[in-house]
Amino acid sequence: MIRLVRQYVASRSIRSSSRFQRGNRSRARPGKREPTHAEILAQRTRIGELLGQIRDLQAEWTEEAIERITTENTTLKQRVRQLAADNRTLDERLKASRSNLRFQDRRVADLEARIADPASTI
């Protein structure tokens, strides 16, 4: 994979630089626009970044790094479980509070009705 990218970069840099160095633009195809220096620079920069990412992905992991990441992953999983349990608890408390509020609203409405019409309670 890296070899193919490097070959592509090499072929692109040879083709693009040779046109500009010779100053001969007559070889360019009619209707096709020449890539600007900025476009070429941007493409080369992007290719360099991608090659760096490939190199990083191919790097071997050390035992310490594997152990650290595994430990961190375990810790994060435990934290997720704890947060999920806390979320369930808070959700249950919220439901209970809403139920209590509905009950209290009915009780207040009943008491207001009694105050408004004292004859109906006798």
Side-chain angles (χ1 to χ4, degrees):
M1 178 69 175
I2 292 177
R3 187 180 61 204
L4 293 174
V5 173
R6 286 184 179 151
Q7 288 173 350
Y8 174 76
V9 171
S11 68
R12 295 292 296 171
S13 63
I14 290 171
R15 276 191 247 144
S16 62
S17 64
S18 63
R19 280 190 206 143
F20 290 109
Q21 287 174 353
R22 282 188 256 143
N24 186 0
R25 293 181 185 254
S26 62
R27 290 186 163 212
R29 294 182 191 140
K32 297 273 185 177
R33 73 178 184 99
E34 289 280 326
T36 64
H37 289 289
E39 288 175 323
I40 293 169
L41 181 61
Q43 289 174 358
R44 288 180 183 168
T45 302
R46 180 69 178 138
I47 290 170
E49 290 170 358
L50 292 173
L51 284 172
Q53 289 178 7
I54 291 170
R55 199 174 308 118
D56 291 345
L57 292 173
Q58 287 179 340
E60 290 188 32
W61 293 87
T62 64
E63 281 297 319
E64 296 164 358
I66 292 170
E67 185 177 329
R68 179 184 54 81
I69 290 171
T70 304
T71 304
E72 186 176 339
N73 190 33
T74 304
T75 304
L76 290 172
K77 285 180 180 179
Q78 290 172 350
R79 181 76 175 133
V80 165
R81 282 193 293 273
Q82 180 63 42
L83 289 172
D86 292 348
N87 190 25
R88 280 191 299 274
T89 302
L90 290 172
D91 193 40
E92 290 169 4
R93 288 178 58 190
L94 179 61
K95 287 178 184 176
S97 296
R98 287 178 176 161
S99 177
N100 287 340
L101 181 61
R102 283 191 297 272
F103 174 76
Q104 294 299 328
D105 284 342
R106 283 192 294 261
R107 179 80 175 130
V108 167
D110 185 45
L111 291 173
E112 286 174 345
R114 283 183 173 182
I115 291 172
D117 189 16
S120 66
T121 58
I122 299 178

